[in-house]
Every structure is written in C-alpha cells, then in structure tokens.
Amino acid sequence: MSKKVSDVYFIDMRAKSGNNIFDKIKNLILSAGFNNLDLDKKFTALKIHFGEPGNYSYVRPVFVSIISKLVKTQGGIPFLTDTNTMYTGQRANAADHLETAEKHGFLSVVTGCPVIIADGLRGTEYKNVEINLKYCKSAKIGAVIADSDVIISINHFKGHDMTGFGGALKNIGMGCGSRAGKREMHSDALPAIDKAKCNSCGRCVEACAAKAMELVATNTQSDPKAHIIGEICTGCGQCIAVCNNKAVRIGRNKDVNIVINKIAEYSYAVLKDKKHFHITFIMDVSPNCDCWSHNDAPIVPNIGVLASFDPVAIDLAAVDLVNAAPGISGSLLDKAGCKPGEDKFLALYPKSDWRAGIEYAASLGLGNCKYKLIKVD
C-alpha cells in the first residue's frame, strides 16, 4: 500500500437511546469511507464464518443486515459466503454448510442477502490464482469468491491455536481457500500425540477426514494409543479440536510460521485484483477458533468493532486492543499464567508467532503495520 499509516476506525460497546449499537455500527462503517466504494451492480462477497454447531461466538446475523443494506444502498449485490472445511463436521460440504448457516440464523430474512458456499457441493470448485510468491506459486480460491467483484470481510476476533489469533487475514486467507487450498496451507503443521494423555477414546480417529489417525497398541502400553500416519496427514488440526484430554498438539518438527505465511499469501491472492473492506467484531473473544464445536469462556470483556480498508492494520489494532484490555478471571488466561500487560495470544499459544504473520503480510503489500485508531461515537 502507498500509505505508511493506515486509518482504523473504532466504536466501543456503549450505547444509549437514539444511538444503539446498530446505529453505531452503521456510523462506523460510513465514517471509515465505505460509501466511497464503487459497488454499483457489483457482486459483493461478504466473507464470514457461520460457526461450527456447538459454537456460539460467531458474528450475530442481525449485525450482517446493517452491512448488506449499505451494500444495496450503493447498488451492490451482496451475498454471504464461506468455503467448506477440510475436516469432518457440519460444514464439510455445501448441503451441511447451508443447513448450519440457517440453524445459526443466517437467513435472508434476517441478513438481507442469500448464502452461497464458495467452493461448491464437495469443496472442489475453485480457481487457481497465480501469485508466484515464496511459498505458493498459485492459490486455490473458492470459485464464487474468485468470481466476485468486491470482498468485504466480516470477522470475529478470537484466539487460535495455530496462528495465535484469528482476524481478517485468517478469515480471508484460510477462509477463502478451497478444501485443496486449505490442505496446502496446513501441510507444514502436522500434529503430534502425547501418549501419556491419550485415553484411547478414538474421537480423533472418527473425526479424521484423511483417515490418518489410528489406535495402535504397543508392548509398553496396556491400551492402544492414538497414532498419526504422517504420510497421509493433511495437518487440518481437527484431531486437536476434538481431543478432550489435550493429547494432540501441533508438532514440534514443523514450522508453524510457514502456515501463517501461506495464509498471508492466500489473502494476497484473494484481494490482489479486488476492492475490499474489513469489519472486525471484538466481542466474545474466545481463546479458540469458531471451527471448534464448542467455545470456551471469553478471555476479555467485549471491546467493540473496527472498520478499515487495511486488513493488516485492522488485525494489529484488534490485537493491541485485546492486549490492553483486562483479562477475565477464570478464563483460559489464568491457566496460561498470563499477567496484566503481557501479550495474551503469545501466553495462550507460545509456539505461534502471530507478529511474524502480520509482518509478512505487510511485506506483500497487503497493508501497514502502523495505524491510526480513530474513535467514532
């Protein structure tokens, strides 16, 4: 980007009669320059996460209606979209994915626009976008997103066990990759098993879409323990999500930063030829991704909403606001031993260097690491 400092607009969660949170979100988006976007007759993809069943921390559908209405006011054709997951679950194909979205309230009567799953019924409909970057020569982007004219990311900000946090770049990069694209991004972060913690329940075996998990007995163990068949493991992390005993973790023999950087390159592929705008909700800041079939208690109080044309700056601003906020007693931060003033995401996930991903995304020209936070009433 040409500017050295990007503007990031912010509202807090305070509200009053005549200026409720819906009014404030609309004012935020317009103050950030949304009405300067040329949306006339443009297919406008509202990239969002519909949440995995059992998880309730995704962005509220009623907030989406504010955004879709603004798009229509400017002549755009909005639709909500996401790609299918690589792991097994209720969003691994378009039929289940659409049903999940509906059950979570993402109905056109609520949001003001339809839902279209970007990579088709089985997650195989994508377009190769040539980028010729360090890790990826091309990116396998969901066809609907690749064909859209404008990208608006609607992001729920939270922690993430692989990338440290999930925000705009995660939602755009990993979230817009087809199932094959997700495999490419995950391929450098294979999990590992702590045999001492494994209770032989077999949940990871049932959840593994690649059939790379098995229970294997050894001479030194009375019960069979989970075992990963490394040559066919895709690194999707579903086994980590479903393990109640925390027996599965990101492997030490892989560089998680490569995964983070691949996500940045996929974000570059999605945005490089398109107008784009980003809205981040710092609410219900759970320590884990919305892909999990549960969400733990929030780590900080609800903070507010951000809007910007810069996905790098908006992610960095969200991190800074969370780190500046008081941690909630009794949350996972206590177990992580996070002290006031410390980086909450590094405390939760010390093996994930989130700042490296921000800096790499900035080096690709996706945005700036310097920003000006502008408070909107």
Side-chain angles (χ1 to χ4, degrees):
M1 299 179 69
S2 58
K3 294 192 301 180
K4 292 184 178 180
V5 179
S6 293
D7 292 337
V8 179
Y9 291 77
F10 168 67
I11 59 168
D12 60 27
M13 300 303 298
R14 297 298 304 274
K16 60 185 178 182
S17 178
N19 191 31
N20 63 28
I21 192 63
F22 299 94
D23 299 323
K24 291 182 70 170
I25 292 172
K26 179 180 178 180
N27 191 29
L28 168 76
I29 294 169
L30 292 176
S31 297
F34 185 84
N35 54 349
N36 293 324
L37 281 170
D38 177 13
L39 301 179
D40 191 37
K41 298 181 177 61
K42 301 290 196 307
F43 287 110
T44 305
L46 309 184
K47 174 60 184 74
I48 199 166
H49 192 302
F50 299 114
E52 192 71 20
N55 193 305
Y56 57 86
S57 61
Y58 46 84
V59 175
R60 291 164 174 76
V62 289
F63 293 152
V64 175
S65 65
I66 305 167
I67 303 163
S68 66
K69 186 175 181 179
L70 287 173
V71 172
K72 289 180 178 179
T73 299
Q74 293 174 216
I77 307 167
F79 61 92
L80 281 165
T81 193
D82 196 5
T83 54
N84 292 306
T85 59
M86 183 172 63
Y87 54 80
T88 57
Q90 293 304 304
R91 296 181 301 117
N93 63 74
D96 289 342
H97 207 154
L98 286 168
E99 183 177 359
T100 295
E102 290 180 357
K103 286 181 177 178
H104 288 178
F106 293 95
L107 303 163
S108 60
V109 69
V110 178
T111 65
C113 61
V115 173
I116 304 175
I117 304 305
D119 57 345
L121 180 62
R122 301 177 186 274
T124 57
E125 297 177 16
Y126 64 84
K127 292 194 173 181
N128 271 310
V129 178
E130 186 175 343
I131 50 177
N132 291 315
L133 294 175
K134 182 176 180 180
Y135 301 99
C136 303
K137 299 307 177 186
S138 65
K140 302 172 181 66
I141 304 301
V144 170
I145 291 169
D147 286 340
S148 65
D149 300 307
V150 181
I151 303 291
I152 298 174
S153 70
I154 304 173
N155 317 296
H156 170 230
F157 197 76
K158 65 278 183 185
H160 195 280
D161 59 328
M162 185 175 293
T163 59
F165 71 86
L169 291 170
K170 177 73 164 49
N171 186 24
I172 299 162
M174 187 65 74
C176 290
S178 67
R179 296 189 76 182
K182 289 180 172 67
R183 281 196 295 273
E184 181 176 30
M185 284 181 274
H186 278 101
S187 62
D188 289 281
L190 303 185
I193 306 293
D194 184 339
K195 304 288 186 182
K197 292 182 178 179
C198 176
N199 68 352
S200 310
C201 69
R203 293 188 70 199
C204 56
V205 176
E206 295 175 3
C208 183
K211 307 300 181 186
M213 298 290 293
E214 58 184 354
L215 294 178
V216 177
T218 68
N219 293 332
T220 60
Q221 297 162 337
S222 58
D223 297 320
K225 301 294 184 179
H227 172 73
I228 298 171
I229 307 171
E231 58 267 27
I232 61 175
C233 175
T234 62
C236 74
Q238 179 70 349
C239 51
I240 299 173
V242 302
C243 182
N244 290 331
N245 282 8
K246 307 297 182 185
V248 195
R249 63 181 187 277
I250 298 172
R252 295 173 183 268
N253 61 328
K254 294 289 183 178
D255 187 351
V256 176
N257 283 352
I258 296 177
V259 180
I260 297 173
N261 290 345
K262 284 183 176 181
I263 291 171
E265 293 190 353
Y266 263 64
S267 297
Y268 175 87
V270 172
L271 301 179
K272 74 184 188 82
D273 295 322
K274 301 184 190 301
K275 300 290 185 182
H276 53 91
F277 187 82
H278 312 279
I279 305 162
T280 294
F281 290 79
I282 316 176
M283 303 167 58
D284 301 317
V285 183
S286 50
N288 302 117
C289 181
D290 295 345
C291 292
W292 288 38
S293 60
H294 69 279
N295 51 280
D296 201 355
I299 60 174
V300 293
N302 288 346
I303 293 173
V305 188
L306 299 173
S308 180
F309 285 96
D310 185 334
V312 175
I314 200 172
D315 271 0
L316 188 55
V319 171
D320 290 343
L321 286 167
V322 170
N323 281 340
I328 294 179
S329 178
S331 73
L332 196 59
L333 287 177
D334 288 347
K335 186 176 181 180
C338 184
K339 298 180 175 60
E342 290 184 344
D343 187 317
K344 294 177 174 63
F345 299 106
L346 280 178
L348 289 171
Y349 305 112
K351 297 177 185 177
S352 300
D353 185 3
W354 63 262
R355 191 169 295 275
I358 287 282
E359 292 172 353
Y360 184 64
S363 75
L364 298 179
L366 279 170
N368 299 305
C369 289
K370 293 184 178 180
Y371 65 89
K372 178 181 179 182
L373 192 66
I374 301 170
K375 181 77 177 294
V376 177
D377 293 327

Short mmCIF file of all heavy atoms in Angstrom, two decimals, residues 156-209:
data_model
loop_
_atom_site.label_atom_id
_atom_site.label_comp_id
_atom_site.label_asym_id
_atom_site.label_seq_id
_atom_site.Cartn_x
_atom_site.Cartn_y
_atom_site.Cartn_z
N HIS A 156 -14.91 -12.26 13.19
CA HIS A 156 -15.00 -12.40 14.65
C HIS A 156 -13.58 -12.59 15.17
O HIS A 156 -12.89 -13.54 14.79
CB HIS A 156 -15.86 -13.61 15.04
CG HIS A 156 -15.77 -13.92 16.50
ND1 HIS A 156 -15.50 -15.19 16.98
CD2 HIS A 156 -15.89 -13.12 17.59
CE1 HIS A 156 -15.47 -15.16 18.30
NE2 HIS A 156 -15.70 -13.92 18.69
N PHE A 157 -13.12 -11.69 16.01
CA PHE A 157 -11.75 -11.74 16.51
C PHE A 157 -11.68 -12.67 17.72
O PHE A 157 -12.47 -12.57 18.65
CB PHE A 157 -11.27 -10.34 16.89
CG PHE A 157 -9.78 -10.25 17.03
CD1 PHE A 157 -8.98 -10.22 15.89
CD2 PHE A 157 -9.18 -10.22 18.27
CE1 PHE A 157 -7.59 -10.15 16.00
CE2 PHE A 157 -7.81 -10.16 18.39
CZ PHE A 157 -7.01 -10.12 17.26
N LYS A 158 -10.70 -13.59 17.70
CA LYS A 158 -10.57 -14.59 18.76
C LYS A 158 -9.16 -15.17 18.74
O LYS A 158 -8.37 -14.86 17.85
CB LYS A 158 -11.58 -15.73 18.59
CG LYS A 158 -11.40 -16.59 17.34
CD LYS A 158 -12.01 -15.96 16.12
CE LYS A 158 -11.90 -16.83 14.88
NZ LYS A 158 -12.41 -16.13 13.68
N GLY A 159 -8.86 -16.04 19.69
CA GLY A 159 -7.58 -16.73 19.69
C GLY A 159 -7.60 -17.90 18.71
O GLY A 159 -8.65 -18.31 18.23
N HIS A 160 -6.41 -18.42 18.41
CA HIS A 160 -6.31 -19.57 17.51
C HIS A 160 -5.05 -20.35 17.85
O HIS A 160 -3.97 -19.79 17.97
CB HIS A 160 -6.25 -19.11 16.05
CG HIS A 160 -6.50 -20.22 15.08
ND1 HIS A 160 -5.53 -21.12 14.72
CD2 HIS A 160 -7.61 -20.58 14.39
CE1 HIS A 160 -6.03 -21.99 13.86
NE2 HIS A 160 -7.29 -21.68 13.64
N ASP A 161 -5.21 -21.68 18.00
CA ASP A 161 -4.10 -22.49 18.47
C ASP A 161 -2.96 -22.62 17.48
O ASP A 161 -1.84 -22.95 17.85
CB ASP A 161 -4.59 -23.89 18.88
CG ASP A 161 -5.27 -24.63 17.75
OD1 ASP A 161 -5.90 -23.97 16.91
OD2 ASP A 161 -5.18 -25.86 17.70
N MET A 162 -3.19 -22.33 16.21
CA MET A 162 -2.14 -22.44 15.22
C MET A 162 -1.57 -21.08 14.83
O MET A 162 -0.35 -20.94 14.68
CB MET A 162 -2.65 -23.15 13.96
CG MET A 162 -1.57 -23.42 12.92
SD MET A 162 -2.18 -24.39 11.51
CE MET A 162 -2.53 -25.95 12.31
N THR A 163 -2.41 -20.07 14.69
CA THR A 163 -1.96 -18.76 14.21
C THR A 163 -1.90 -17.71 15.32
O THR A 163 -1.56 -16.57 15.04
CB THR A 163 -2.89 -18.25 13.09
OG1 THR A 163 -4.23 -18.16 13.60
CG2 THR A 163 -2.87 -19.20 11.90
N GLY A 164 -2.19 -18.09 16.55
CA GLY A 164 -2.18 -17.15 17.66
C GLY A 164 -3.52 -16.46 17.82
O GLY A 164 -4.10 -16.45 18.88
N PHE A 165 -3.99 -15.85 16.74
CA PHE A 165 -5.31 -15.24 16.74
C PHE A 165 -5.94 -15.41 15.36
O PHE A 165 -5.26 -15.70 14.38
CB PHE A 165 -5.24 -13.74 17.10
CG PHE A 165 -4.62 -12.88 16.01
CD1 PHE A 165 -5.40 -12.38 14.97
CD2 PHE A 165 -3.27 -12.58 16.02
CE1 PHE A 165 -4.83 -11.61 13.96
CE2 PHE A 165 -2.70 -11.81 15.02
CZ PHE A 165 -3.48 -11.33 13.98
N GLY A 166 -7.25 -15.24 15.33
CA GLY A 166 -7.96 -15.25 14.05
C GLY A 166 -8.65 -13.93 13.85
O GLY A 166 -9.43 -13.48 14.71
N GLY A 167 -8.37 -13.28 12.73
CA GLY A 167 -8.98 -11.99 12.41
C GLY A 167 -9.24 -11.89 10.93
O GLY A 167 -9.66 -12.87 10.29
N ALA A 168 -8.96 -10.74 10.35
CA ALA A 168 -9.26 -10.51 8.94
C ALA A 168 -8.42 -11.40 8.03
O ALA A 168 -8.94 -12.05 7.11
CB ALA A 168 -9.04 -9.04 8.58
N LEU A 169 -7.12 -11.46 8.25
CA LEU A 169 -6.24 -12.23 7.36
C LEU A 169 -6.58 -13.71 7.41
O LEU A 169 -6.58 -14.39 6.38
CB LEU A 169 -4.77 -11.99 7.72
CG LEU A 169 -4.24 -10.58 7.41
CD1 LEU A 169 -2.86 -10.39 8.03
CD2 LEU A 169 -4.20 -10.33 5.91
N LYS A 170 -6.87 -14.22 8.59
CA LYS A 170 -7.24 -15.64 8.72
C LYS A 170 -8.57 -15.91 8.02
O LYS A 170 -8.72 -16.92 7.31
CB LYS A 170 -7.32 -16.01 10.21
CG LYS A 170 -7.76 -17.44 10.49
CD LYS A 170 -6.67 -18.43 10.16
CE LYS A 170 -6.92 -19.79 10.78
NZ LYS A 170 -8.27 -20.34 10.56
N ASN A 171 -9.53 -15.03 8.20
CA ASN A 171 -10.84 -15.17 7.59
C ASN A 171 -10.74 -15.12 6.06
O ASN A 171 -11.42 -15.87 5.35
CB ASN A 171 -11.77 -14.06 8.09
CG ASN A 171 -13.21 -14.22 7.62
OD1 ASN A 171 -13.65 -15.31 7.29
ND2 ASN A 171 -13.93 -13.12 7.58
N ILE A 172 -9.87 -14.26 5.55
CA ILE A 172 -9.72 -14.11 4.10
C ILE A 172 -8.85 -15.23 3.52
O ILE A 172 -9.22 -15.88 2.53
CB ILE A 172 -9.09 -12.74 3.76
CG1 ILE A 172 -9.99 -11.61 4.25
CG2 ILE A 172 -8.86 -12.62 2.25
CD1 ILE A 172 -9.27 -10.29 4.35
N GLY A 173 -7.69 -15.46 4.11
CA GLY A 173 -6.74 -16.41 3.54
C GLY A 173 -7.19 -17.85 3.66
O GLY A 173 -7.53 -18.50 2.68
N MET A 174 -7.23 -18.35 4.89
CA MET A 174 -7.68 -19.73 5.10
C MET A 174 -9.15 -19.87 4.73
O MET A 174 -9.57 -20.88 4.14
CB MET A 174 -7.46 -20.14 6.56
CG MET A 174 -7.76 -21.60 6.85
SD MET A 174 -6.62 -22.74 5.99
CE MET A 174 -5.13 -22.50 6.97
N GLY A 175 -9.95 -18.86 5.04
CA GLY A 175 -11.39 -18.95 4.83
C GLY A 175 -11.83 -18.93 3.39
O GLY A 175 -12.94 -19.38 3.09
N CYS A 176 -11.00 -18.40 2.50
CA CYS A 176 -11.37 -18.35 1.08
C CYS A 176 -10.72 -19.45 0.27
O CYS A 176 -11.03 -19.63 -0.92
CB CYS A 176 -11.02 -16.99 0.48
SG CYS A 176 -12.05 -15.64 1.09
N GLY A 177 -9.81 -20.20 0.89
CA GLY A 177 -9.20 -21.32 0.19
C GLY A 177 -10.16 -22.48 0.07
O GLY A 177 -10.93 -22.77 0.99
N SER A 178 -10.15 -23.15 -1.07
CA SER A 178 -10.95 -24.37 -1.24
C SER A 178 -10.40 -25.45 -0.31
O SER A 178 -9.38 -25.25 0.37
CB SER A 178 -10.88 -24.84 -2.69
OG SER A 178 -9.56 -25.27 -2.99
N ARG A 179 -11.03 -26.61 -0.31
CA ARG A 179 -10.52 -27.69 0.54
C ARG A 179 -9.09 -28.06 0.16
O ARG A 179 -8.24 -28.30 1.02
CB ARG A 179 -11.44 -28.90 0.45
CG ARG A 179 -12.85 -28.65 0.98
CD ARG A 179 -13.67 -29.91 1.07
NE ARG A 179 -13.26 -30.71 2.22
CZ ARG A 179 -13.79 -31.88 2.53
NH1 ARG A 179 -14.72 -32.41 1.76
NH2 ARG A 179 -13.39 -32.54 3.59
N ALA A 180 -8.80 -28.06 -1.14
CA ALA A 180 -7.43 -28.34 -1.58
C ALA A 180 -6.49 -27.22 -1.16
O ALA A 180 -5.33 -27.46 -0.79
CB ALA A 180 -7.39 -28.52 -3.10
N GLY A 181 -6.97 -26.00 -1.20
CA GLY A 181 -6.17 -24.87 -0.76
C GLY A 181 -5.88 -24.94 0.72
O GLY A 181 -4.76 -24.64 1.17
N LYS A 182 -6.86 -25.34 1.50
CA LYS A 182 -6.65 -25.49 2.94
C LYS A 182 -5.60 -26.57 3.23
O LYS A 182 -4.77 -26.42 4.13
CB LYS A 182 -7.97 -25.83 3.63
CG LYS A 182 -8.96 -24.66 3.68
CD LYS A 182 -10.24 -25.08 4.37
CE LYS A 182 -11.17 -23.90 4.61
NZ LYS A 182 -11.71 -23.32 3.38
N ARG A 183 -5.64 -27.65 2.46
CA ARG A 183 -4.62 -28.69 2.64
C ARG A 183 -3.23 -28.12 2.37
O ARG A 183 -2.27 -28.43 3.08
CB ARG A 183 -4.89 -29.87 1.72
CG ARG A 183 -5.98 -30.81 2.21
CD ARG A 183 -5.94 -32.13 1.48
NE ARG A 183 -6.24 -31.99 0.06
CZ ARG A 183 -7.45 -32.00 -0.46
NH1 ARG A 183 -8.51 -32.15 0.33
NH2 ARG A 183 -7.64 -31.88 -1.76
N GLU A 184 -3.13 -27.29 1.33
CA GLU A 184 -1.83 -26.69 1.00
C GLU A 184 -1.33 -25.79 2.13
O GLU A 184 -0.15 -25.82 2.48
CB GLU A 184 -1.93 -25.89 -0.30
CG GLU A 184 -0.62 -25.26 -0.72
CD GLU A 184 -0.71 -24.56 -2.07
OE1 GLU A 184 -1.81 -24.07 -2.41
OE2 GLU A 184 0.32 -24.49 -2.77
N MET A 185 -2.22 -25.02 2.71
CA MET A 185 -1.81 -24.12 3.79
C MET A 185 -1.44 -24.87 5.06
O MET A 185 -0.51 -24.49 5.78
CB MET A 185 -2.92 -23.10 4.07
CG MET A 185 -3.01 -22.00 3.02
SD MET A 185 -4.31 -20.78 3.38
CE MET A 185 -5.74 -21.59 2.62
N HIS A 186 -2.15 -25.95 5.37
CA HIS A 186 -1.91 -26.70 6.60
C HIS A 186 -0.73 -27.66 6.52
O HIS A 186 -0.31 -28.20 7.54
CB HIS A 186 -3.16 -27.53 6.97
CG HIS A 186 -4.22 -26.75 7.66
ND1 HIS A 186 -5.34 -26.30 7.01
CD2 HIS A 186 -4.34 -26.34 8.95
CE1 HIS A 186 -6.12 -25.66 7.87
NE2 HIS A 186 -5.54 -25.67 9.04
N SER A 187 -0.22 -27.89 5.35
CA SER A 187 0.69 -29.02 5.14
C SER A 187 2.01 -28.90 5.90
O SER A 187 2.76 -29.87 5.97
CB SER A 187 0.99 -29.18 3.64
OG SER A 187 1.63 -28.02 3.12
N ASP A 188 2.32 -27.75 6.47
CA ASP A 188 3.58 -27.61 7.21
C ASP A 188 3.40 -27.58 8.72
O ASP A 188 4.29 -27.17 9.45
CB ASP A 188 4.31 -26.33 6.75
CG ASP A 188 4.86 -26.47 5.35
OD1 ASP A 188 5.92 -27.08 5.20
OD2 ASP A 188 4.21 -26.00 4.42
N ALA A 189 2.22 -28.01 9.19
CA ALA A 189 1.98 -28.02 10.64
C ALA A 189 1.24 -29.29 11.03
O ALA A 189 0.07 -29.26 11.36
CB ALA A 189 1.18 -26.79 11.06
N LEU A 190 1.94 -30.41 10.97
CA LEU A 190 1.33 -31.69 11.33
C LEU A 190 1.27 -31.84 12.85
O LEU A 190 2.15 -31.37 13.56
CB LEU A 190 2.13 -32.84 10.72
CG LEU A 190 2.30 -32.80 9.19
CD1 LEU A 190 3.01 -34.06 8.73
CD2 LEU A 190 0.96 -32.66 8.50
N PRO A 191 0.24 -32.48 13.37
CA PRO A 191 0.09 -32.64 14.82
C PRO A 191 0.97 -33.76 15.37
O PRO A 191 1.55 -34.54 14.63
CB PRO A 191 -1.40 -32.98 14.98
CG PRO A 191 -1.76 -33.64 13.68
CD PRO A 191 -0.92 -32.99 12.62
N ALA A 192 1.02 -33.81 16.70
CA ALA A 192 1.77 -34.86 17.40
C ALA A 192 0.92 -35.34 18.57
O ALA A 192 0.05 -34.62 19.07
CB ALA A 192 3.11 -34.33 17.89
N ILE A 193 1.18 -36.57 19.03
CA ILE A 193 0.40 -37.19 20.10
C ILE A 193 1.22 -37.27 21.39
O ILE A 193 2.37 -37.72 21.37
CB ILE A 193 -0.05 -38.62 19.72
CG1 ILE A 193 -0.79 -38.62 18.38
CG2 ILE A 193 -0.91 -39.22 20.82
CD1 ILE A 193 -2.12 -37.92 18.40
N ASP A 194 0.62 -36.82 22.49
CA ASP A 194 1.20 -37.05 23.82
C ASP A 194 0.56 -38.34 24.34
O ASP A 194 -0.57 -38.35 24.82
CB ASP A 194 0.88 -35.87 24.74
CG ASP A 194 1.54 -36.02 26.11
OD1 ASP A 194 1.88 -37.15 26.49
OD2 ASP A 194 1.69 -35.00 26.80
N LYS A 195 1.28 -39.45 24.21
CA LYS A 195 0.73 -40.78 24.53
C LYS A 195 0.26 -40.86 25.99
O LYS A 195 -0.70 -41.56 26.31
CB LYS A 195 1.78 -41.86 24.28
CG LYS A 195 2.35 -41.88 22.85
CD LYS A 195 1.35 -42.39 21.84
CE LYS A 195 2.00 -42.53 20.47
NZ LYS A 195 1.05 -42.97 19.43
N ALA A 196 0.95 -40.14 26.89
CA ALA A 196 0.60 -40.20 28.30
C ALA A 196 -0.79 -39.61 28.57
O ALA A 196 -1.47 -40.02 29.52
CB ALA A 196 1.65 -39.47 29.14
N LYS A 197 -1.22 -38.68 27.74
CA LYS A 197 -2.52 -38.04 27.93
C LYS A 197 -3.64 -38.73 27.15
O LYS A 197 -4.81 -38.48 27.41
CB LYS A 197 -2.45 -36.57 27.52
CG LYS A 197 -1.57 -35.70 28.42
CD LYS A 197 -1.59 -34.25 27.96
CE LYS A 197 -0.75 -33.39 28.88
NZ LYS A 197 -0.73 -31.97 28.44
N CYS A 198 -3.27 -39.57 26.19
CA CYS A 198 -4.28 -40.23 25.36
C CYS A 198 -5.03 -41.27 26.18
O CYS A 198 -4.41 -42.13 26.82
CB CYS A 198 -3.60 -40.89 24.16
SG CYS A 198 -4.74 -41.83 23.11
N ASN A 199 -6.38 -41.22 26.15
CA ASN A 199 -7.18 -42.20 26.89
C ASN A 199 -7.84 -43.24 25.98
O ASN A 199 -8.77 -43.94 26.39
CB ASN A 199 -8.24 -41.49 27.73
CG ASN A 199 -9.31 -40.81 26.87
OD1 ASN A 199 -9.18 -40.75 25.64
ND2 ASN A 199 -10.35 -40.31 27.52
N SER A 200 -7.37 -43.30 24.73
CA SER A 200 -7.81 -44.32 23.77
C SER A 200 -9.30 -44.22 23.42
O SER A 200 -9.92 -45.22 23.06
CB SER A 200 -7.52 -45.73 24.32
OG SER A 200 -6.19 -45.85 24.76
N CYS A 201 -9.86 -43.02 23.48
CA CYS A 201 -11.30 -42.87 23.23
C CYS A 201 -11.66 -43.03 21.75
O CYS A 201 -12.78 -43.37 21.40
CB CYS A 201 -11.80 -41.51 23.73
SG CYS A 201 -11.19 -40.09 22.79
N GLY A 202 -10.71 -42.73 20.85
CA GLY A 202 -10.94 -42.89 19.42
C GLY A 202 -11.67 -41.73 18.75
O GLY A 202 -12.01 -41.82 17.56
N ARG A 203 -11.92 -40.62 19.47
CA ARG A 203 -12.62 -39.48 18.85
C ARG A 203 -11.83 -38.91 17.69
O ARG A 203 -12.39 -38.50 16.68
CB ARG A 203 -12.89 -38.39 19.89
CG ARG A 203 -13.87 -38.78 20.97
CD ARG A 203 -14.23 -37.59 21.83
NE ARG A 203 -15.05 -36.64 21.08
CZ ARG A 203 -15.22 -35.37 21.43
NH1 ARG A 203 -14.60 -34.88 22.49
NH2 ARG A 203 -15.99 -34.58 20.71
N CYS A 204 -10.52 -38.87 17.83
CA CYS A 204 -9.67 -38.33 16.76
C CYS A 204 -9.73 -39.22 15.51
O CYS A 204 -9.69 -38.72 14.38
CB CYS A 204 -8.23 -38.17 17.23
SG CYS A 204 -7.48 -39.69 17.85
N VAL A 205 -9.84 -40.52 15.72
CA VAL A 205 -9.93 -41.46 14.59
C VAL A 205 -11.21 -41.21 13.82
O VAL A 205 -11.23 -41.16 12.59
CB VAL A 205 -9.86 -42.92 15.09
CG1 VAL A 205 -10.05 -43.89 13.93
CG2 VAL A 205 -8.54 -43.19 15.81
N GLU A 206 -12.33 -41.05 14.54
CA GLU A 206 -13.62 -40.81 13.90
C GLU A 206 -13.65 -39.47 13.17
O GLU A 206 -14.30 -39.33 12.13
CB GLU A 206 -14.73 -40.85 14.96
CG GLU A 206 -14.91 -42.21 15.61
CD GLU A 206 -15.94 -42.16 16.73
OE1 GLU A 206 -16.53 -41.08 16.94
OE2 GLU A 206 -16.15 -43.19 17.39
N ALA A 207 -12.94 -38.48 13.69
CA ALA A 207 -13.01 -37.13 13.14
C ALA A 207 -12.07 -36.90 11.97
O ALA A 207 -12.21 -35.90 11.25
CB ALA A 207 -12.71 -36.10 14.23
N CYS A 208 -11.10 -37.79 11.75
CA CYS A 208 -10.07 -37.55 10.74
C CYS A 208 -10.58 -37.83 9.33
O CYS A 208 -10.81 -38.98 8.95
CB CYS A 208 -8.84 -38.41 11.02
SG CYS A 208 -7.48 -38.09 9.86
N ALA A 209 -10.74 -36.77 8.54
CA ALA A 209 -11.25 -36.92 7.18
C ALA A 209 -10.24 -37.63 6.27
O ALA A 209 -10.61 -38.27 5.29
CB ALA A 209 -11.60 -35.56 6.60
#
